[in-house]
């Protein structure tokens, strides 16, 4: 119950103000289609430099939580999911809104998000210290394999093509080696003076997540979307709460699916929402109502996508393996403050760790309260034309990248990586494994170098890295993640061929 | 066309992989390039695999960038490059941001260009945005951006 000692930190005036700003800002950003939670968190990182680590993390954590929930506003009122995690919400949420039950759909969505989110964070609270202690047994070879596992899991699960996913991870790992070698001080792959200090993770994150979005918005050309915002009538929150708890099966299914999906690195909220929706439909007494404005659909989808937020941070905070692209960005936010996840975080920086985790718990409550309050406004913000959003995001990206180290070099790197990523994404590559490679690369290399030194003094590199129970388990997991994804890819290709043959 | 585009991109990535691999194995001190050698070897193998899959049609070719899309985003991309690689460091950060924002809005706003209100709205959005950026970065975060010729 160590976390209880640090609850006071959340209520310090600046920390609480940041929690409020992050929650309300995240709800509005989340409701804006095209602004993904990952990009929102990446653009916020520069604002955390001048803050204490726990305060910076409170802001980022609040934004992460509420952007996922905020996406439901546009899913319900505009039929445009604010983020991929809200796709399943659109199915019944928008139909409810069209039936004049928009307010009820929003209330159910935020209440279900809050309940799912709180349970997810509770799991984070109780599971993380146990796993962090377990991480103590990890030596350099294990940490090396863990870093590789992080890249392969996201590389194989986050993309349509296993080879391209792993290749993206490799590109990220290579980018992380640019600059000066830490041990010998040798220059590596420095082709321009801007790369002398290596690639700054924050500038890279901003570029990789923001610039492709900007170009995608510009690719729509000179047109505006005629988006109709459905007006909402007033509705009793108490009736909504009664309806929510009257649908306990959908809520518990959604929360359970969200928690499980969150714990598995690389899967993400989109899958959580859709799987929960599907399961809720299967177990429902009235499956025929799904898709026609059934509250159970909204409850299952929204409890799932917020329940996965807390657990997605478990592998991050214990083993440095981010469970989602947004968690990878949060890892970047931790590293800039010189804090490493795992035992270091819980033993040397307990205030940072627990204040952050506790803030996510309080943030869920604030999200429910403010979510209902700002939903109407957020839906209006979601109507801001794409070309205006593009200009604003570009400006924020340039200022954010520059402010990392007051260096134009970071701005060049941000823009170059972002433009390259746009084209790579359009040809089947993915930003998430690339970012993971970039973030985990230094951890992998430091442990590889340390392991190589130990290996030289003992049995040699091959026995050191490839024998021992834990090494073998981790290598098996790496191979399993690749093998599983290859099988899934082959199966989906075969199914696509059968479909096209049948057509 | 789609397959050709996919093949060209896969070939470009493979070429970068081969070049990284070559540098990793030829640069000194070798100790400093130990990790890059491991990574670049995996890089080049995967890149070759991706190229083979694409060229042999073993992978579903993704749509890629269409000419229509390219013609739409190209003007914006040119503005982005001028802003980042020249204007910000020559004219000054805030001037360049204002100019970039205004040009971007003018290029992509579907409203008719011959109305005064359209230009006024674009100017107001630009002014508001730059004012917010100044408040956030110069006043709150105390970030000293390049002032150069203007501001």
């Amino acid at each position: 119950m160590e976390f209880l000692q640090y609850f006071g930190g959340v209520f310090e005036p600046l920390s609480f103000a940041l929690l409020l700003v992050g929650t309300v800002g995240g709800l509005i950003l989340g409701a804006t289609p095209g602004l993904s939670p990952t990009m929102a968190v990446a653009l916020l990182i520069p604002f955390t430099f001048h803050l204490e680590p726990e305060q910076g993390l409170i802001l980022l954590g609040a934004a992460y939580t509420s952007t996922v929930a905020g996406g439901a506003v546009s899913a319900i009122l505009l039929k445009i999911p604010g983020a991929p995690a809200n796709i399943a919400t659109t199915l019944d949420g928008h139909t409810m809104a069209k039936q004049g039950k928009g307010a009820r759909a929003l209330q159910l969505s935020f209440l279900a998000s809050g309940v799912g989110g709180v349970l997810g964070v509770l799991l984070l609270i109780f599971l993380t210290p146990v796993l962090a202690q377990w991480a103590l047994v990890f030596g350099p070879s294990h940490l090396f394999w863990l870093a590789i596992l992080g890249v392969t899991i996201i590389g194989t699960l986050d993309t349509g093509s296993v080879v391209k996913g792993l290749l993206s991870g490799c590109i990220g790992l290579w980018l992380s080696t640019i600059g000066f070698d830490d041990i010998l001080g040798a220059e590596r792959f420095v082709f321009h003076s801007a790369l002398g200090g290596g690639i700054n993770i924050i500038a890279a994150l901003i570029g990789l997540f923001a610039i492709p979005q900007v170009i995608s918005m510009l690719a729509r050309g000179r047109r505006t979307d005629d988006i109709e915002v459905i007006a909402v009538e007033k509705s009793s929150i108490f009736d909504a709460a009664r309806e929510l708890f009257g649908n306990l099966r959908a809520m518990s299914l959604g929360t359970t699916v969200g928690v499980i999906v969150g714990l598995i690195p690389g899967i993400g909220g989109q899958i959580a929402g859709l799987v929960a929706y599907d399961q809720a439909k299967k177990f429902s007494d009235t499956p025929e109502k799904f898709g026609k404005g059934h509250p159970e659909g909204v409850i299952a989808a929204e409890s799932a996508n917020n329940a996965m937020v807390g657990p997605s941070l478990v592998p991050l905070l214990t083993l440095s393996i981010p469970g989602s692209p947004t968690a990878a960005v949060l890892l970047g936010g931790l590293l800039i403050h010189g804090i490493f996840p795992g035992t270091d975080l819980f033993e040397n920086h307990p205030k940072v760790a627990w204040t952050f985790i506790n803030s996510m718990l309080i943030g869920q409550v604030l999200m429910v309260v403010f979510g209902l309050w700002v939903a109407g406004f957020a839906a209006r913000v979601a109507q801001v034309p794409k070309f205006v959003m593009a200009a604003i995001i570009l400006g924020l990206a340039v200022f954010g990248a520059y402010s990392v180290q007051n260096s134009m070099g970071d701005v060049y790197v941000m823009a170059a990586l972002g433009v390259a990523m746009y084209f790579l994404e359009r040809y089947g590559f993915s930003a998430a494994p690339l970012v993971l490679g970039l973030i985990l690369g230094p951890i992998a290399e430091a442990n590889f170098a340390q392991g190589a030194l130990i290996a030289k003094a003992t049995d040699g590199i091959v026995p050191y890295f490839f024998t021992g129970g834990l090494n073998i388990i981790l290598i098996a997991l790496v191979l399993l993640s690749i093998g599983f994804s290859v099988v899934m890819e082959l199966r989906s290709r075969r199914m696509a061929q059968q479909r096209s043959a049948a057509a | 066309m789609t397959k050709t585009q996919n093949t060209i991109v896969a070939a470009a990535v493979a070429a970068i992989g081969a070049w990284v691999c070559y540098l990793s194995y030829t640069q000194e001190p070798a100790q400093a390039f130990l990790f890059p050698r491991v990574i670049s070897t995996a890089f080049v193998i995967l890149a070759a695999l991706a190229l083979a899959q694409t060229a042999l049609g073993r992978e579903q070719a993704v749509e890629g960038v269409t000419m229509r899309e390219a013609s739409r985003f190209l003007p914006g991309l040119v503005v982005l490059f001028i802003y980042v690689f020249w204007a910000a460091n020559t004219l000054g950060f805030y001037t360049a941001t204002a100019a970039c924002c205004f040009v971007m809005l003018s290029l992509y706003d579907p409203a008719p260009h011959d109305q005064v209100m359209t230009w006024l709205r674009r100017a107001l959005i630009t002014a508001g945005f730059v004012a917010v950026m100044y408040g956030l970065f110069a006043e709150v975060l105390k970030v000293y951006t390049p002032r150069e010729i203007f501001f």
Side-chain angles (χ1 to χ4, degrees), chain A residues 420-439:
Chain A
M421 195 67 241
Y422 171 77
F423 287 101
L424 284 174
E425 272 184 344
R426 295 307 301 261
Y427 291 95
F429 293 82
S430 172
L434 199 150
V435 164
L436 254 283
L438 192 58
I439 291 178

Side-chain angles (χ1 to χ4, degrees), chain A residues 349-404:
Chain A
H349 308 281
K351 190 179 176 217
V352 175
W354 289 118
T355 309
F356 166 53
I357 293 173
N358 289 338
S359 77
M360 291 191 74
L361 206 55
I362 308 295
Q364 302 291 341
V365 181
L366 293 179
M367 183 192 76
V368 176
V369 175
F370 286 95
L372 298 167
W373 190 51
V374 301
F377 176 66
R380 300 274 162 213
V381 173
Q383 289 177 294
V384 172
K386 291 279 183 289
F387 59 91
V388 178
M389 293 302 303
I392 290 172
I393 295 170
L394 176 61
L396 272 172
V398 169
F399 273 81
Y402 180 82
S403 66
V404 179

Side-chain angles (χ1 to χ4, degrees), chain A residues 46-47 50 144 148 161 163-164 166-167 170-171 173-174 176-177 181 184 186-189 191 211 214-215 218-224 387-388 390-396 398-400 402-403 406 408 411-412 414-416 419 422-424 426-429 441 444-445 448 452-453 456 461 489 493 496, chain B residues 2 5-6 9 13 16 19-20 23-24 28-29 31-36 38-39 42-43 46-47 49-50 53-54 58-60 62-65 69 72-73 76-77 80-81 83-85 88-89 93-94 97 100-101 104-113 122 125 129 133 136-137 141 143-146:
Chain A
F47 296 99
H50 303 276
F144 167 75
I148 300 298
S161 157
V163 172
K164 284 183 177 169
L166 292 174
L167 191 50
C170 266
I171 296 172
L173 286 168
W174 166 60
S176 78
T177 65
D181 165 50
L184 301 169
E187 203 179 88
R188 299 186 304 193
F189 312 112
F191 316 112
I211 299 298
V214 169
I215 302 175
L218 298 181
R220 299 163 62 88
R222 293 184 69 199
R223 67 186 165 105
T224 46
F387 59 91
V388 178
I392 290 172
I393 295 170
L394 176 61
L396 272 172
V398 169
F399 273 81
Y402 180 82
S403 66
N406 285 3
M408 276 310 290
V411 181
Y412 300 152
M414 180 275 298
V419 173
Y422 171 77
F423 287 101
L424 284 174
R426 295 307 301 261
Y427 291 95
F429 293 82
E445 182 172 12
F448 180 77
L453 285 174
K456 254 186 201 168
I461 283 201
E489 190 180 322
R493 202 182 298 165
Chain B
T2 307
Q5 274 190 22
N6 278 265
V9 172
V13 173
I16 294 171
W19 174 61
V20 168
L23 287 179
S24 301
E28 290 295 337
Q31 186 70 24
F33 284 87
L34 199 57
F35 184 71
V38 176
I39 296 306
F43 187 166
L46 287 165
L49 209 57
Q53 276 187 338
T54 314
R58 298 293 297 273
E59 192 188 70
Q60 182 81 38
V62 285
E63 194 189 6
V65 180
E69 278 176 333
R72 283 171 174 170
F73 71 64
L77 202 59
L80 184 155
F81 276 117
Y83 171 40
V84 169
F85 292 101
N89 215 16
F93 239 63
Y94 291 98
T97 302
C100 167
C101 183
M104 207 78 117
L105 295 182
S106 307
L107 282 173
Y108 288 94
D109 185 356
H113 292 308
R122 291 168 188 166
I125 293 172
F129 174 58
M133 295 302 275
L136 267 178
F137 284 90
L141 297 176
V143 176
Y144 186 84
T145 47

Side-chain angles (χ1 to χ4, degrees), chain A residues 199-464:
Chain A
I199 290 185
N200 183 279
I201 288 175
I202 306 306
L205 286 174
I206 293 172
L208 290 168
F209 287 112
I211 299 298
Q213 301 254 15
V214 169
I215 302 175
S216 295
M217 288 173 183
L218 298 181
R220 299 163 62 88
R222 293 184 69 199
R223 67 186 165 105
T224 46
D225 304 302
D226 288 327
I227 306 169
E228 185 201 353
V229 182
I230 296 178
V232 290
E233 301 293 322
K234 281 197 169 173
S235 173
S236 162
I237 185 77
F238 298 106
D239 289 345
R242 257 194 296 276
E243 185 164 7
L244 179 77
F245 290 102
N247 286 301
L248 265 182
R249 185 166 42 194
M251 194 170 66
S252 41
L253 266 171
T255 306
T256 310
V257 168
V259 162
I260 294 170
V261 168
L263 281 171
I264 305 169
I267 298 192
Q270 178 186 348
I271 304 291
L274 288 168
V275 172
Y277 184 86
D278 181 53
Q279 291 303 309
K281 189 177 175 181
K282 276 184 184 148
F283 284 95
S284 173
D285 296 330
T286 49
E288 72 283 355
K289 287 186 181 171
F290 275 72
K292 295 172 187 163
H294 199 14
E296 281 186 35
V298 177
I299 293 168
E302 280 303 308
S303 55
N305 65 29
N306 254 58
M308 62 82 59
V309 170
S312 77
L313 297 179
V314 173
L316 167 74
L317 296 180
T318 54
L319 305 169
S320 305
I321 300 177
S324 63
T326 321
V329 179
L330 277 175
L331 176 59
L334 265 176
L335 295 177
I336 54 160
H337 288 287
I339 297 169
F340 289 87
T343 43
D344 173 59
L345 179 63
F346 286 91
E347 288 189 357
N348 301 325
H349 308 281
K351 190 179 176 217
V352 175
W354 289 118
T355 309
F356 166 53
I357 293 173
N358 289 338
S359 77
M360 291 191 74
L361 206 55
I362 308 295
Q364 302 291 341
V365 181
L366 293 179
M367 183 192 76
V368 176
V369 175
F370 286 95
L372 298 167
W373 190 51
V374 301
F377 176 66
R380 300 274 162 213
V381 173
Q383 289 177 294
V384 172
K386 291 279 183 289
F387 59 91
V388 178
M389 293 302 303
I392 290 172
I393 295 170
L394 176 61
L396 272 172
V398 169
F399 273 81
Y402 180 82
S403 66
V404 179
Q405 306 181 107
N406 285 3
S407 155
M408 276 310 290
D410 287 339
V411 181
Y412 300 152
V413 168
M414 180 275 298
L417 282 179
V419 173
M421 195 67 241
Y422 171 77
F423 287 101
L424 284 174
E425 272 184 344
R426 295 307 301 261
Y427 291 95
F429 293 82
S430 172
L434 199 150
V435 164
L436 254 283
L438 192 58
I439 291 178
L440 295 177
I443 299 170
E445 182 172 12
N447 285 293
F448 180 77
Q450 210 179 331
L453 285 174
I454 297 170
K456 254 186 201 168
T458 52
D459 303 333
I461 283 201
V462 175
Y464 182 76

Side-chain angles (χ1 to χ4, degrees), chain B residues 102 106 109 111-125:
Chain B
F102 189 73
S106 307
D109 185 356
H113 292 308
D114 55 359
Q115 288 178 6
V116 180
M117 280 309 288
T118 304
W119 291 100
L120 199 64
R121 197 180 63 232
R122 291 168 188 166
L124 277 173
I125 293 172

